[in-house]
Amino acid sequence: MAVCVAVIAKENYPLYIRSIPTENELKFHYMVHTSLDVVDEKISAMGKALVDQRELYLGLLYPTEDYKVYPSHQLCRYGYVTNSKVKFVMVVDSSNTALRDNEIRSMFRKLHNSYTDVMCNPFYNPGDRIHSRAFDSMVTSMMIQVC
Amino acid sequence: DRGLDPGTPGSCPGLKAGAKLLVFLLCFQITELCGAKRVGYFGPTQFYIALKLIAAAQSGLPVRIESIKCELPLPRFMMSKTDAEIRFGNPAELHGTKVQIPYLITEKNTFKRMDDEDKQQETQSPTMSPLASPPSSPPHYQRVPLSHGYSKLRSSTEQMHPAPYEARQPLVQPEGPSSGAPGAKPPRHKASLIRSFSVEREPHDNSSNYPDEPWRITEEQREYYVNQFRSLQPDPSSFISGSVAKNFFTKSKLSIPELSYIWELSDADCDGALTLPEFCAAFHLIVARKNGYPLPEGLPPTLQPEYLQAAFPKPKRECTLFDSYSESMPANQQPRDLNRMEKLSIKDTADFPVPTQDVTSDDKQALKSTADEALPKDMSEDPGRRKPLYYIFISYSSTSIEEAMKRGEDPPTPPPRPQKTHSRASSLDLNKVFQPSVPATKSGLLPPPPALPPRPCPSQSEQVSEAEIHPQLNRAPSQVAESSPTKKDIPHSQPPSKPIRRKFRPENSATESQEPPSTVGPVSAASGKPHAAVQKQSSKQKKAIQTAIRKNKEANAVLARLNSELQQQLKEVHQERIALENQLEQLRPVTVL
């Protein structure tokens, strides 16, 4: 279950960040922020700009981390970067279901598609916060469904 | 009433008793339903809801909250439920309704004051009253059972509050028939919504069961949208790119988030471009939003692209007509085509006053320029349907004139200027000289640069003035082309009033003729039609003169602007020249040495 989804711009500021409100949101923000370093590391390690989606998907960014409130939960962070260096970071709670890599990839794919739909809107300025309701609903479905 | 209301009760005493009660109760139920009773007055929300309910009732749907997505948990009322009506049908409650209606009227008046765009509509008040009666009145035209009750209600209300009632007329009147998306305020908006809804139903007999009346695009709106689409993108089967559409919709002065949301709703395939149905949906949403409707959560079914394409095949026909027409004609005649198309689609009432101020004024100009030729034909063709819309269109465009004036932009839909050919024997050099500069100077315009051709300015302006004098006779395409692009908005207070006045009567005849069961209809129709004809003639001439004056003024404005732009260019060129000369001098000593 995705507990937090974040879209980070190229300049590493958040375009969209949303987490399940039951938890301390600030903690998620912090986690996402720390993941950015890992993402950058992986991007630079890649070297050439390959357009393969496998390259876009960064995989598990950080080893699981114990949760303070719920020690049984293990949070995994996954990263995904687009060609325009927009990063998606997703924090999933892997305690309930062992999410397979494919599922994570499909979730990122959906995120990416929704993000491109937002981009297609001429009234959206790249770099603005994302307020698209379609995007919101997609993220909501992702956060609830996987759970 | 004041002699203006064609639907005065008494035309059919037989129906009065039962229908009256039924209508009274319905009205009362609606007012109760919308919370007006609860709140004690017709606030904007209540009125909004009330009119929606009326529209729902009109359309045959049960007057239910669900049909308007209202959250008020009031009991349901069916139009045919006489027992429920009897329950409420006591004079005391009726009086309560009456009391509420004046409140509503004052509300409308306040709304009206707030909207500076409606200034011009105030001049049209005397003739408008029947159409602009309290929310119950619009349905009056459309439904037999409602008509009597409403008219009676209105008459009783009028007795109580003649002044505000009359003042409110212009508010509601112009919006009425044309817009499926209502006027600038919820009340007006509602009345117009209802009227347009009914107007739409009369000719088309819409059998759709969608309860979302505000989201249904009427025929005239549809054609207007199609025209706008064509102004942005000549090929109606292709699409408008995102940036073009963004520029266009930004003119509606809605906030960017709202526009973004509207785009999200309407661009179904999320490709960053709008096809014709998507464009119509977006346009309609913008109009609705401007008129106070909250944006829906999802795209209403009536605005889905498939529905739009299926429901309105006619615009496609007109598109093809236009395309074939434009293909066969050279470029210099395209303005005429556009104008003729606009004339043909006179039904395209500018129900989009704010967003497309330029457009509406442009269209209005086109309409007016061709009005004289168009009117007789159109009246003969389809008097019932077209006349009211035409005038509403003009009234709408008049509202947008001030806006457009403030904007100072060229209207988005001026027909393409004869850039390749010349209506007069103007020198080719002028065209070539100005053509590259025109796009640069008028960068704010939409892609078909609606710039007035600066080249044959004097000759064409002469032509325009000549044409204005004899608008009925001249039908030179250049004249039409000249006038239509020069739709700088100049406030017309008089022309709109005349059309509106005329609109009232044609609408009477239209609605009456189409509703034979309506007892009110035949009476008013008989009186309305001859009167309409007489008035039409005189107002036509007046309108023609005013059209001419307006066109001249607009032409002047455009030429003045062009002049300033050219002077600026001249300055720049001078500066370049000076710079080059300096360089030359600097280099010369070197070479000399």
Side-chain angles (χ1 to χ4, degrees), chain B residues 366 455 478:
Chain B
R455 317 81 221 211
S478 56

Side-chain angles (χ1 to χ4, degrees), chain B residues 359-422:
Chain B
V359 174
T360 54
S361 63
D362 198 348
D363 289 344
K364 176 166 61 151
Q365 288 307 317
L367 268 177
K368 284 192 186 285
S369 62
T370 60
D372 307 299
E373 297 88 4
L375 263 178
K377 295 176 200 168
D378 283 344
M379 298 310 162
S380 56
E381 286 169 9
D382 194 358
R385 193 152 48 136
R386 299 206 184 193
K387 272 184 283 190
L389 306 176
Y390 164 67
Y391 297 123
I392 297 159
F393 177 74
I394 293 194
S395 67
Y396 275 149
S397 36
S398 69
T399 63
S400 66
I401 286 162
E402 290 169 3
E403 293 273 349
M405 284 283 276
K406 289 172 201 161
R407 295 191 149 277
E409 281 181 14
D410 273 338
T413 54
R417 291 254 109 218
Q419 293 175 357
K420 294 172 193 164
T421 62
H422 317 284

Side-chain angles (χ1 to χ4, degrees), chain B residues 443-502:
Chain B
S443 53
L445 301 176
L446 287 179
L452 185 66
R455 317 81 221 211
C457 289
S459 54
Q460 277 196 0
S461 55
E462 286 168 13
Q463 200 181 8
V464 170
S465 51
E466 286 170 7
E468 312 297 10
I469 294 169
H470 308 286
Q472 310 229 2
L473 310 175
N474 284 349
R475 202 158 145 61
S478 56
Q479 161 211 338
V480 167
E482 185 74 40
S483 53
S484 44
T486 65
K487 294 192 189 144
K488 285 327 146 212
D489 307 305
I490 293 175
H492 340 61
S493 51
Q494 287 163 347
S497 62
K498 291 187 194 80
I500 299 291
R501 206 181 307 130
R502 261 182 282 172

Side-chain angles (χ1 to χ4, degrees), chain B residues 266-478:
Chain B
S266 55
D267 190 6
D269 48 4
C270 291
D271 57 356
L274 295 179
T275 62
L276 182 60
E278 287 175 347
F279 177 83
C280 292
F283 213 124
H284 198 76
L285 286 169
I286 287 178
V287 176
R289 186 72 189 99
K290 291 299 291 187
N291 291 319
Y293 268 114
L295 292 175
E297 289 301 313
L299 192 64
T302 52
L303 290 182
Q304 302 275 347
E306 304 78 19
Y307 175 85
L308 286 178
Q309 275 184 348
F312 295 99
K314 244 204 279 182
K316 306 265 178 186
R317 259 197 291 121
E318 289 183 0
C319 292
T320 56
L321 177 73
F322 178 71
D323 290 338
S324 59
Y325 199 57
S326 55
E327 283 164 9
S328 59
M329 299 269 187
N332 63 347
Q333 294 190 8
Q334 275 178 10
R336 176 169 56 173
D337 301 345
L338 188 66
N339 293 335
R340 186 169 299 156
M341 245 242 339
E342 288 171 340
K343 172 198 63 130
L344 285 177
S345 57
I346 269 182
K347 298 180 284 186
D348 298 355
T349 59
D351 183 23
F352 198 67
V354 177
T356 59
Q357 314 96 353
D358 305 328
V359 174
T360 54
S361 63
D362 198 348
D363 289 344
K364 176 166 61 151
Q365 288 307 317
L367 268 177
K368 284 192 186 285
S369 62
T370 60
D372 307 299
E373 297 88 4
L375 263 178
K377 295 176 200 168
D378 283 344
M379 298 310 162
S380 56
E381 286 169 9
D382 194 358
R385 193 152 48 136
R386 299 206 184 193
K387 272 184 283 190
L389 306 176
Y390 164 67
Y391 297 123
I392 297 159
F393 177 74
I394 293 194
S395 67
Y396 275 149
S397 36
S398 69
T399 63
S400 66
I401 286 162
E402 290 169 3
E403 293 273 349
M405 284 283 276
K406 289 172 201 161
R407 295 191 149 277
E409 281 181 14
D410 273 338
T413 54
R417 291 254 109 218
Q419 293 175 357
K420 294 172 193 164
T421 62
H422 317 284
S423 56
R424 292 284 170 98
S426 59
S427 64
L428 272 172
D429 306 335
L430 274 180
N431 257 349
K432 284 191 187 150
V433 164
F434 287 111
Q435 206 155 2
S437 66
V438 164
T441 56
K442 310 203 176 194
S443 53
L445 301 176
L446 287 179
L452 185 66
R455 317 81 221 211
C457 289
S459 54
Q460 277 196 0
S461 55
E462 286 168 13
Q463 200 181 8
V464 170
S465 51
E466 286 170 7
E468 312 297 10
I469 294 169
H470 308 286
Q472 310 229 2
L473 310 175
N474 284 349
R475 202 158 145 61
S478 56

Side-chain angles (χ1 to χ4, degrees), chain A residues 117 120-123 132-134, chain B residues 242 246 259-261 263-264 270 272:
Chain A
D117 287 345
C120 281
N121 189 332
F123 296 103
S132 155
R133 297 191 207 183
Chain B
K246 177 180 177 179
L259 288 171
S260 176
Y261 182 58
W263 176 281
E264 204 179 305
C270 291

Side-chain angles (χ1 to χ4, degrees), chain B residues 238-255:
Chain B
S238 99
F239 39 79
I240 298 178
S241 73
S243 51
V244 170
K246 177 180 177 179
N247 291 335
F248 182 73
F249 288 135
T250 309
K251 291 187 189 154
S252 69
K253 298 208 291 189
L254 284 178
S255 64

